[in-house]
Short mmCIF file of all heavy atoms in Angstrom, two decimals:
data_model
loop_
_atom_site.label_atom_id
_atom_site.label_comp_id
_atom_site.label_asym_id
_atom_site.label_seq_id
_atom_site.Cartn_x
_atom_site.Cartn_y
_atom_site.Cartn_z
N ASN B 386 -20.89 92.31 7.13
CA ASN B 386 -22.20 92.87 7.17
C ASN B 386 -23.21 91.85 6.70
O ASN B 386 -24.28 91.71 7.31
CB ASN B 386 -22.30 94.13 6.30
CG ASN B 386 -21.65 95.35 6.97
OD1 ASN B 386 -21.51 95.34 8.17
ND2 ASN B 386 -21.30 96.29 6.16
N LEU B 390 -26.03 90.50 9.32
CA LEU B 390 -27.42 90.74 9.04
C LEU B 390 -28.20 89.40 8.97
O LEU B 390 -29.31 89.27 9.49
CB LEU B 390 -27.62 91.47 7.70
CG LEU B 390 -27.68 92.95 7.77
CD1 LEU B 390 -28.07 93.55 6.40
CD2 LEU B 390 -28.68 93.47 8.82
N LYS B 469 -25.47 104.63 11.60
CA LYS B 469 -24.98 103.30 11.24
C LYS B 469 -25.32 102.31 12.31
O LYS B 469 -25.45 101.09 11.98
CB LYS B 469 -23.53 103.31 10.89
CG LYS B 469 -22.55 103.68 11.98
CD LYS B 469 -21.17 103.51 11.46
CE LYS B 469 -20.05 104.03 12.29
NZ LYS B 469 -20.10 103.94 13.75
N PHE B 472 -29.00 100.79 11.74
CA PHE B 472 -29.34 100.15 10.46
C PHE B 472 -29.87 98.71 10.69
O PHE B 472 -30.94 98.32 10.27
CB PHE B 472 -28.24 100.14 9.46
CG PHE B 472 -28.62 99.47 8.19
CD1 PHE B 472 -29.33 100.11 7.26
CD2 PHE B 472 -28.29 98.12 8.03
CE1 PHE B 472 -29.75 99.46 6.12
CE2 PHE B 472 -28.65 97.45 6.88
CZ PHE B 472 -29.37 98.13 5.94
N ARG B 473 -29.07 97.91 11.40
CA ARG B 473 -29.42 96.49 11.56
C ARG B 473 -30.71 96.29 12.24
O ARG B 473 -31.57 95.54 11.88
CB ARG B 473 -28.30 95.75 12.29
CG ARG B 473 -27.06 95.58 11.44
CD ARG B 473 -25.92 94.99 12.19
NE ARG B 473 -24.77 95.01 11.29
CZ ARG B 473 -23.56 95.24 11.72
NH1 ARG B 473 -23.30 95.44 13.00
NH2 ARG B 473 -22.55 95.23 10.86
N ILE B 549 -32.41 96.61 1.30
CA ILE B 549 -31.21 97.28 1.77
C ILE B 549 -30.82 98.41 0.82
O ILE B 549 -30.44 99.51 1.27
CB ILE B 549 -30.07 96.28 1.90
CG1 ILE B 549 -30.44 95.28 2.96
CG2 ILE B 549 -28.75 96.95 2.22
CD1 ILE B 549 -29.43 94.16 3.16
N LEU B 550 -30.98 98.18 -0.47
CA LEU B 550 -30.60 99.22 -1.43
C LEU B 550 -31.45 100.46 -1.17
O LEU B 550 -30.95 101.59 -1.27
CB LEU B 550 -30.85 98.70 -2.84
CG LEU B 550 -30.21 99.52 -3.92
CD1 LEU B 550 -28.72 99.41 -3.88
CD2 LEU B 550 -30.69 99.05 -5.30
N MET B 552 -32.87 101.29 1.73
CA MET B 552 -32.66 101.77 3.06
C MET B 552 -31.31 102.45 3.28
O MET B 552 -31.18 103.35 4.12
CB MET B 552 -32.76 100.59 4.08
CG MET B 552 -34.15 100.36 4.61
SD MET B 552 -34.08 98.98 5.77
CE MET B 552 -33.50 99.85 7.21
N GLN B 553 -30.29 101.96 2.55
CA GLN B 553 -28.99 102.43 2.90
C GLN B 553 -28.72 103.88 2.40
O GLN B 553 -29.24 104.33 1.42
CB GLN B 553 -27.88 101.50 2.40
CG GLN B 553 -27.66 101.46 0.91
CD GLN B 553 -26.55 100.56 0.56
OE1 GLN B 553 -26.15 100.52 -0.62
NE2 GLN B 553 -25.96 99.78 1.45
N THR B 554 -27.96 104.59 3.27
CA THR B 554 -27.53 105.89 2.94
C THR B 554 -26.04 105.92 3.10
O THR B 554 -25.50 105.04 3.86
CB THR B 554 -28.13 106.95 3.85
OG1 THR B 554 -27.83 106.56 5.22
CG2 THR B 554 -29.64 107.05 3.74
N ALA B 555 -25.34 106.85 2.45
CA ALA B 555 -23.84 106.85 2.54
C ALA B 555 -23.35 106.72 3.95
O ALA B 555 -22.41 106.00 4.19
CB ALA B 555 -23.30 108.06 1.79
N PRO B 556 -23.93 107.44 4.95
CA PRO B 556 -23.34 107.33 6.29
C PRO B 556 -23.48 105.94 6.91
O PRO B 556 -22.80 105.65 7.87
CB PRO B 556 -24.18 108.34 7.09
CG PRO B 556 -24.88 109.18 6.14
CD PRO B 556 -25.00 108.41 4.88
N THR B 557 -24.37 105.09 6.37
CA THR B 557 -24.56 103.77 6.97
C THR B 557 -23.82 102.67 6.25
O THR B 557 -23.92 101.52 6.65
CB THR B 557 -26.06 103.38 7.12
OG1 THR B 557 -26.58 103.22 5.81
CG2 THR B 557 -26.85 104.35 7.90
N TYR B 558 -23.10 103.02 5.18
CA TYR B 558 -22.43 101.92 4.43
C TYR B 558 -21.62 100.99 5.32
O TYR B 558 -21.50 99.83 5.10
CB TYR B 558 -21.48 102.56 3.37
CG TYR B 558 -22.16 102.97 2.09
CD1 TYR B 558 -21.52 103.73 1.13
CD2 TYR B 558 -23.48 102.57 1.88
CE1 TYR B 558 -22.13 104.10 -0.05
CE2 TYR B 558 -24.16 102.97 0.70
CZ TYR B 558 -23.47 103.72 -0.25
OH TYR B 558 -24.11 104.07 -1.41
N GLU B 559 -21.03 101.52 6.38
CA GLU B 559 -20.16 100.76 7.22
C GLU B 559 -20.90 99.50 7.82
O GLU B 559 -20.33 98.50 8.07
CB GLU B 559 -19.67 101.62 8.35
CG GLU B 559 -18.32 101.14 8.85
CD GLU B 559 -17.79 102.03 9.98
OE1 GLU B 559 -17.85 103.27 9.79
OE2 GLU B 559 -17.40 101.47 11.00
N THR B 560 -22.26 99.66 8.05
CA THR B 560 -23.01 98.51 8.56
C THR B 560 -23.99 98.01 7.52
O THR B 560 -24.47 96.86 7.64
CB THR B 560 -23.79 98.90 9.82
OG1 THR B 560 -24.52 100.07 9.56
CG2 THR B 560 -22.88 99.08 11.02
N SER B 561 -24.31 98.79 6.49
CA SER B 561 -25.38 98.40 5.63
C SER B 561 -24.89 97.86 4.26
O SER B 561 -25.68 97.29 3.54
CB SER B 561 -26.27 99.59 5.34
OG SER B 561 -25.68 100.54 4.52
N ASP B 562 -23.64 98.00 3.94
CA ASP B 562 -23.18 97.57 2.66
C ASP B 562 -23.00 96.07 2.72
O ASP B 562 -22.25 95.50 3.50
CB ASP B 562 -21.85 98.22 2.28
CG ASP B 562 -21.65 98.32 0.78
OD1 ASP B 562 -22.71 98.19 0.09
OD2 ASP B 562 -20.56 98.61 0.33
N VAL B 563 -23.74 95.36 1.84
CA VAL B 563 -23.63 93.87 1.79
C VAL B 563 -23.22 93.45 0.37
O VAL B 563 -23.13 94.33 -0.52
CB VAL B 563 -24.98 93.23 2.14
CG1 VAL B 563 -25.33 93.45 3.60
CG2 VAL B 563 -26.08 93.73 1.24
N ILE B 564 -23.04 92.14 0.19
CA ILE B 564 -22.47 91.66 -1.08
C ILE B 564 -23.36 92.16 -2.21
O ILE B 564 -22.83 92.69 -3.19
CB ILE B 564 -22.42 90.09 -1.05
CG1 ILE B 564 -21.41 89.67 0.00
CG2 ILE B 564 -21.98 89.61 -2.41
CD1 ILE B 564 -21.33 88.17 0.12
N THR B 566 -25.51 94.63 -2.60
CA THR B 566 -25.51 96.09 -2.92
C THR B 566 -24.14 96.47 -3.49
O THR B 566 -24.05 97.33 -4.35
CB THR B 566 -25.78 96.93 -1.66
OG1 THR B 566 -24.92 96.53 -0.61
CG2 THR B 566 -27.23 96.79 -1.21
#
Side-chain angles (χ1 to χ4, degrees):
Chain B
N386 284 340
L390 268 189
K469 65 175 170 34
F472 178 81
R473 287 173 187 145
I549 296 177
L550 195 68
M552 270 180 79
Q553 71 176 187
T554 54
T557 63
Y558 278 170
E559 209 180 311
T560 51
S561 70
D562 208 16
V563 292
I564 297 177
T566 50

